[in-house]
């Protein structure tokens, strides 16, 4: 399982701690969380945060460019992880938070060989306009979003759901009532059940 962290976090940050919880139910699963490739550009360099792409400009066109430019880096990482472990893509799940969700939703369906599934927390879908034409596989997706998210609007989940369905990608959604830009206990458990179903 590859975790994709959010803006300003690191691979050894909070998202990887989910693996410690899920390990009890998925004891044969390896949990990885790479650092995003670029330094976080909205904080001092000594803070050490990372980003998949800049969010200085939240314009949808800029966001799509950012995701698209970072996609080859993530794909290369996934290829190396699978090759090193002699694993098939069907043994891989991507779990993203916020910006990491954006990366997972862009990359996973454009990979030729279908991975097991995608779990996306508090994110949004970019590249929806080209997704159906560029789609090469249809991994099942779970989206979880807080109704009180103050960073990525809750409405982004419905927009992502619509874009995925239009591209004929199976998607399930879970709303975390009155919850902000984070992952609540329900989100943790719903994610685990979804992963257990698709990873076996």
């Amino acid at each position: 399982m590859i975790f994709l962290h959010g803006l300003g976090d690191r691979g050894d940050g909070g998202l990887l701690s989910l693996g410690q919880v899920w390990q009890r139910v998925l004891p044969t699963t390896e949990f990885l969380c790479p650092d995003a490739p670029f330094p976080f550009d909205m904080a001092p360099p000594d803070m050490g945060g990372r980003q998949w792409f800049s969010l200085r400009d939240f314009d949808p066109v800029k966001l799509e460019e950012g995701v698209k430019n970072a996609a080859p880096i993530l794909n290369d990482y996934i290829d190396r992880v699978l090759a090193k472990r002699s694993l098939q893509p069907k043994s891989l799940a991507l779990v993203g938070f916020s910006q990491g969700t954006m990366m997972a939703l862009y990359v996973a369906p454009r990979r030729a060989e279908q991975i097991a599934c995608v779990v996306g927390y508090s994110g949004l879908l970019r590249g929806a306009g080209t997704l159906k034409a560029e789609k090469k596989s249809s991994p099942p997706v779970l989206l979880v979003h807080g109704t009180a998210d103050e960073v990525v609007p809750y409405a982004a989940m419905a927009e992502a759901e619509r874009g995925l369905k239009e591209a004929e990608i199976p998607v399930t959604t879970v709303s975390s009532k009155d919850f902000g830009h984070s992952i609540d206990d329900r989100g943790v458990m719903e994610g685990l059940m979804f992963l257990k179903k698709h990873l076996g």
Side-chain angles (χ1 to χ4, degrees):
M1 189 181 305
I2 298 176
F3 291 104
L4 305 174
H5 68 72
L7 184 73
D9 202 353
R10 293 187 63 92
D12 58 1
L15 192 57
L16 189 57
S17 64
L18 277 179
Q20 298 172 354
V21 177
W22 291 343
Q23 187 86 65
R24 302 172 211 153
V25 178
L26 300 169
T28 62
T29 300
E30 181 182 10
F31 299 90
L32 304 173
C33 190
D35 283 344
F38 305 110
F40 181 35
D41 64 3
M42 291 191 287
D46 58 1
M47 293 287 289
R50 308 294 293 179
Q51 64 187 26
W52 294 97
F53 53 90
S54 178
L55 280 179
R56 285 181 179 273
D57 189 340
F58 216 74
D59 177 78
V61 174
K62 292 292 185 181
L63 294 183
E64 186 167 341
E65 287 178 359
V67 176
K68 187 174 182 179
N69 290 337
I73 300 172
L74 178 55
N75 272 315
D76 180 66
Y77 176 78
I78 292 171
D79 291 341
R80 286 187 284 113
V81 165
L82 293 175
K84 183 177 180 180
R85 292 156 178 78
S86 299
L87 289 174
Q88 296 299 313
K90 64 182 180 181
S91 298
L92 171 71
L94 294 180
V95 178
F97 176 74
S98 195
Q99 192 180 64
T101 294
M102 295 168 65
M103 292 301 305
L105 293 179
Y106 187 89
V107 165
R110 290 173 171 84
R111 289 183 62 85
E113 295 186 74
Q114 184 163 310
I115 67 171
C117 63
V118 173
V119 176
Y121 293 102
S122 304
L124 48 81
L125 175 67
R126 293 290 75 147
T130 61
L131 180 55
K132 190 169 185 177
E134 295 175 355
K135 183 189 74 167
K136 296 178 182 176
S137 60
S138 301
V141 174
L142 171 68
L143 299 175
V144 182
H145 212 120
T147 62
D149 194 320
E150 68 284 5
V151 178
V152 179
Y154 172 63
M157 184 170 72
E159 181 183 346
E161 180 184 22
R162 185 164 54 251
L164 292 168
K165 285 183 174 178
E166 287 175 355
E168 300 176 348
I169 295 171
V171 55
T172 303
T173 61
V174 172
S175 298
S176 295
K177 184 174 173 55
D178 299 326
F179 208 73
H181 193 66
S182 187
I183 305 173
D184 66 356
D185 290 343
R186 184 188 179 195
V188 171
M189 293 308 300
E190 292 282 357
L192 175 58
M193 289 187 290
F194 190 81
L195 290 161
K196 184 180 180 183
K197 174 182 177 180
H198 293 287
L199 281 176

